[in-house]
Amino acid sequence: MSNTMANITLGGLFQPADKTVDQSSFPGDEALRVQSNSFNTSLTVNNSTGSDDVLDLSQHNLSPIGSTFTLNLGENANVKIAPLENFSALQTNNYNLGEGSTLYYSPPLIQGVALNNTNFDMGETGTSTLVYQPQGLQIDLSSAPSISGLSAGDQIKVIGATSGEVVGNEIVFKDGNGNTIIKYDASGEDLSKVTFENGTMVYACYLKGTHIATPEGEVQVETLKAGDKVLTASGGVATVKWLGHRTLHKSRIPAQDAVRAFPILFKKDSIANNVPHRDLTLSPGHHVSFDGTLVPAMMLVNGQTIVQQFNTKVFEYFHVELEQFDIMLAEGVPAESYVDTGNRSMFQNAAEVAMNPDFGPAEGRPEVEGIKVVQQGPVVEAIRKKLLARAEAMTGTARTTDAALCIEVNGQIVHSTPDFSKEGVYHFALPANAGDVRILSRSTVVRDVTPLARRDVRQIGVGLSGIAVSTANGRHEINLTDDALTGLNAPQVTHGITMRWTTGAAMIPAALINATEASTLELTVLRTYTYWVEAETVKARRSA
């Protein structure tokens, strides 16, 4: 729990039964204690600032028998219900989740009396997440909690669960020993769309609207069905066995899963002339074929002609399973058909084949002569080099190792002096009483410009290993890990030296400069990188 506690009373003689609060009013170290004193009370929690913080909420009920408490979570609200002791009877707790909201729920440690009801409404039209955290000791004689309002993109996570299943009208979560952790009554919900992913998010599909080559011409992937024919990259014809689909929402994708989740756009002609012949969007894990070498789309991103679309709010993936694994043509690009590697349950319609004898246990990608999956190494580097060169030719951009390092102080751009005490050390003249200093340079996303296949999506400028300020009275160094510095990536050790990459616009507060007279700022740059720039800019600098 948090270090401090705010209190709200609902109902009773002098307090309204319904209140609304904004979670931004409660700092990260402050919890909220809510006490209900009458039959029907409610609390609405909004998140006007879109904060990622979680509000700790302690719920206490002094209401009479048969009372109801309702907690409404507004858009993007994040609330954690702390465990408590509950000796109430015949009481109802309703938890209504709004678009993008997350409720972390721990049940009472002890339920002293039976016949209490707990209801979770996931919102029907939005996407929301319920995270259930069981407690070590629970004596609960109440009925199973209910779930309603399920819609595409909703998530229910049960800590400690390794599997789940639908049993009648119930959604049941089990641990590694097959013991039930929690079950939800989902009467009235369409449970054919419920899938279980063991807590792991996996994505591998075509985006809705993608055109697939067939003997009769191209068709949109979502229109395909079992028995349809498609063309293969080798010129053959294959038969569709199954079409899986899943809708994803930006608001429900954890940051750590973003690279594996958001769609990747291959712009027209980005691979070769007329390949793809119109813009193509794939999931990050979908493999593209280069003369039989299958490379995940996420390993081909260059930030220019092959771009990951992190701002896409809602997107629907499809994947085509053939009677036999093969390479299909999507917008003219050879790309793999679906392979069941044990991930079929990630699709919203996976349940429709669960009992079909034609769909046996997952067998993984078959060994096919001339087809090999490669994620990195010399072959992938050679492919990326060609794609980078093509991106330069298509966009008029170029790659340069010139970081264009300078600083800005008091609204003026200052370039380094021509004098170098040693390689990589740059000096900048600062005026008396200098204000905040901004360290400016070109910047790029790590994975976008290198032939090496990377997943690193940090925005980096220059790698600093030292910052110092010199005046007539001496020299003082500024600690690279000082919390007052902004616009820098986390520290890393390179060849035994601590270094921090800027993001291209770092800032040194005036308080750290701490010089009333004219001074010199010294920046030690351990590393620079390769950066995308307009080709004319590079030519102009080289001719200057």
Side-chain angles (χ1 to χ4, degrees), residues 33-317:
R33 183 182 187 274
V34 179
Q35 180 172 305
S36 299
N37 289 340
S38 58
F39 273 101
N40 296 298
T41 59
S42 70
L43 176 69
T44 298
V45 179
N46 293 323
N47 186 6
S48 61
T49 63
S51 170
D52 291 330
D53 291 339
V54 177
L55 172 62
D56 284 332
L57 192 151
S58 176
Q59 179 186 338
H60 297 263
N61 199 330
L62 299 180
S63 302
I65 291 175
S67 63
T68 297
F69 169 75
T70 299
L71 175 66
N72 302 306
L73 271 62
E75 183 175 356
N76 296 321
N78 302 294
V79 175
K80 179 180 180 181
I81 300 289
L84 68 151
E85 297 177 357
N86 187 359
F87 296 98
S88 59
L90 295 172
Q91 291 190 341
T92 298
N93 289 308
N94 297 320
Y95 301 100
N96 302 324
L97 283 68
E99 166 69 27
S101 66
T102 301
L103 176 63
Y104 301 85
Y105 178 80
S106 292
L109 293 172
I110 301 176
Q111 289 270 27
V113 183
L115 304 180
N116 291 312
N117 298 306
T118 302
N119 306 310
F120 299 96
D121 188 335
M122 304 298 286
E124 290 190 354
T125 58
T127 58
S128 53
T129 299
L130 170 63
V131 181
Y132 179 87
Q133 172 69 66
Q135 301 302 310
L137 170 64
Q138 288 180 246
I139 304 173
D140 190 351
L141 302 179
S142 300
S143 58
S146 72
I147 285 286
S148 62
L150 290 172
S151 60
D154 286 339
Q155 294 186 32
I156 301 174
K157 299 182 179 180
V158 176
I159 306 302
T162 60
S163 65
E165 62 179 338
V166 173
V167 180
N169 292 323
E170 293 183 331
I171 302 173
V172 182
F173 291 86
K174 297 183 177 182
D175 63 19
N177 297 318
N179 300 316
T180 297
I181 299 177
I182 181 69
K183 57 184 177 181
Y184 296 95
D185 181 357
S187 299
E189 298 296 304
D190 182 2
L191 300 186
S192 67
K193 298 180 180 180
V194 172
T195 62
F196 297 93
E197 304 177 21
N198 300 324
T200 300
M201 296 183 69
V202 183
Y203 314 87
C205 327
Y206 294 104
L207 201 69
K208 183 177 182 179
T210 299
H211 291 83
I212 304 297
T214 77
E216 287 73 38
E218 290 188 325
V219 301
Q220 292 184 324
V221 63
E222 63 269 23
T223 67
L224 290 172
K225 60 185 182 300
D228 287 350
K229 305 296 183 181
V230 298
L231 294 179
T232 65
S234 62
V237 176
T239 302
V240 175
K241 182 179 182 181
W242 181 68
L243 189 72
H245 66 86
R246 176 167 184 174
T247 299
L248 297 174
H249 297 252
K250 176 181 178 180
S251 60
R252 295 273 45 86
I253 298 173
Q256 67 268 23
D257 293 316
V259 172
R260 297 190 296 115
F262 284 95
I264 293 176
L265 168 65
F266 289 74
K267 295 182 181 180
K268 182 180 181 299
D269 300 324
S270 58
I271 295 177
N273 289 335
N274 208 37
V275 182
H277 49 240
R278 62 172 67 87
D279 287 355
L280 167 67
T281 309
L282 300 175
S283 69
H286 202 112
H287 291 84
V288 178
S289 178
F290 295 85
D291 297 324
T293 298
L294 296 181
V295 183
M298 72 177 76
M299 294 302 186
L300 302 172
V301 172
N302 57 36
Q304 298 294 316
T305 58
I306 304 174
V307 182
Q308 190 152 25
Q309 300 177 304
F310 289 113
N311 292 323
T312 307
K313 291 185 178 180
V314 181
F315 44 101
E316 188 172 9
Y317 285 137

Side-chain angles (χ1 to χ4, degrees), residues 273-451:
N273 289 335
N274 208 37
V275 182
H277 49 240
R278 62 172 67 87
D279 287 355
L280 167 67
T281 309
L282 300 175
S283 69
H286 202 112
H287 291 84
V288 178
S289 178
F290 295 85
D291 297 324
T293 298
L294 296 181
V295 183
M298 72 177 76
M299 294 302 186
L300 302 172
V301 172
N302 57 36
Q304 298 294 316
T305 58
I306 304 174
V307 182
Q308 190 152 25
Q309 300 177 304
F310 289 113
N311 292 323
T312 307
K313 291 185 178 180
V314 181
F315 44 101
E316 188 172 9
Y317 285 137
F318 286 80
H319 211 143
V320 183
E321 183 174 17
L322 303 177
E323 292 290 348
Q324 291 184 326
F325 173 79
D326 213 323
I327 306 300
M328 303 162 53
L329 293 170
E331 309 293 8
V333 173
E336 66 176 349
S337 64
Y338 170 65
V339 178
D340 184 4
T341 58
N343 62 350
R344 191 183 297 277
S345 64
M346 71 180 176
F347 297 104
Q348 291 169 211
N349 61 328
E352 68 186 29
V353 301
M355 302 303 293
N356 191 322
D358 292 335
F359 294 82
E363 297 180 355
R365 182 177 284 101
E367 293 289 335
V368 179
E369 185 178 356
I371 296 178
K372 183 178 181 181
V373 175
V374 182
Q375 296 195 18
Q376 55 188 353
V379 174
V380 178
E381 290 177 31
I383 292 170
R384 283 189 57 83
K385 283 181 180 179
K386 291 181 180 179
L387 294 176
L388 288 167
R390 186 162 186 83
E392 291 180 334
M394 285 180 59
T395 63
T397 55
R399 288 171 294 150
T400 180
T401 56
D402 181 3
L405 178 65
C406 63
I407 67 169
E408 181 184 19
V409 58
N410 298 345
Q412 301 294 317
I413 296 296
V414 178
H415 295 282
S416 62
T417 64
D419 299 326
F420 287 85
S421 56
K422 60 180 179 179
E423 185 178 359
V425 178
Y426 298 82
H427 296 102
F428 302 86
L430 299 179
N433 297 308
D436 297 342
V437 173
R438 297 178 68 211
I439 305 172
L440 305 177
S441 71
R442 292 194 173 101
S443 65
T444 192
V445 175
V446 173
R447 67 173 176 177
D448 285 357
V449 293
T450 172

Side-chain angles (χ1 to χ4, degrees), residues 489-502:
N489 286 283
Q492 64 185 73
V493 177
T494 302
H495 303 302
I497 301 174
T498 299
M499 179 191 78
R500 292 186 74 179
W501 284 103
T502 71

